[in-house]
């Protein structure tokens, strides 16, 4: 006799938002943040050397994702020039720090 399974969508939604899931997403974000800090470039000639490296932060919420129906973790850099470090400019090559950190940090979980 074959086993039967009935999906309880409400239960799956509750599972995706539970505090343990949110804590796990924050833990994973912290791992990626640690890798990003290690990869962050430091310009010793800038007025504030190391500012970019010190500006990484993490956060998590139980209402994230496209539909706001699941726990998510966020990793971001709050320095005003983080976009230019990540994607580059006409004169400065892209470093892709967050992209590479997510790729490497995702494997180290």
């Amino acid at each position: 006799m074959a086993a039967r399974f009935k999906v309880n969508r409400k239960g799956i939604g509750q599972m995706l938002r539970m505090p343990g899931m949110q804590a796990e997403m924050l833990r994973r974000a912290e791992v990626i943040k640690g890798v990003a800090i290690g990869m962050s470039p430091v310009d010793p000639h800038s007025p504030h050397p190391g500012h970019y490296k010190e500006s990484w932060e993490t956060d998590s919420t139980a209402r994230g994702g496209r539909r706001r129906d699941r726990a998510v973790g966020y990793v971001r850099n709050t320095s005003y020039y983080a976009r230019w470090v990540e994607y580059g400019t006409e004169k400065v090559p892209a470093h892709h720090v967050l992209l590479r950190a997510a790729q490497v940090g995702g494997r180290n979980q």
Side-chain angles (χ1 to χ4, degrees), residues 10-80:
K10 185 176 179 182
I12 291 173
Q14 290 172 346
M15 179 191 72
L16 290 173
R17 289 186 302 275
M18 60 192 280
M21 188 68 75
Q22 187 176 351
E24 177 61 16
M25 294 299 107
L26 183 59
R27 185 193 70 77
R28 290 172 181 249
E30 289 290 342
V31 169
I32 293 170
K33 174 186 168 185
V35 174
I37 289 171
M39 291 180 173
S40 294
V42 176
D43 181 8
H45 304 297
S46 78
H48 305 288
H51 175 70
Y52 177 79
K53 190 173 195 165
E54 296 168 355
S55 297
W56 288 102
E57 61 182 41
T58 59
D59 191 16
S60 70
T61 181
R63 292 289 182 171
R66 191 178 72 198
R67 294 185 186 175
R68 304 285 186 240
D69 63 346
R70 63 194 63 215
V72 295
Y74 296 104
V75 181
R76 65 182 150 265
N77 192 299
T78 59
S79 66
Y80 74 92

Side-chain angles (χ1 to χ4, degrees), residues 84 87-93:
W84 301 316
Y87 300 113
T89 65
E90 292 175 353
K91 298 178 183 178
V92 178

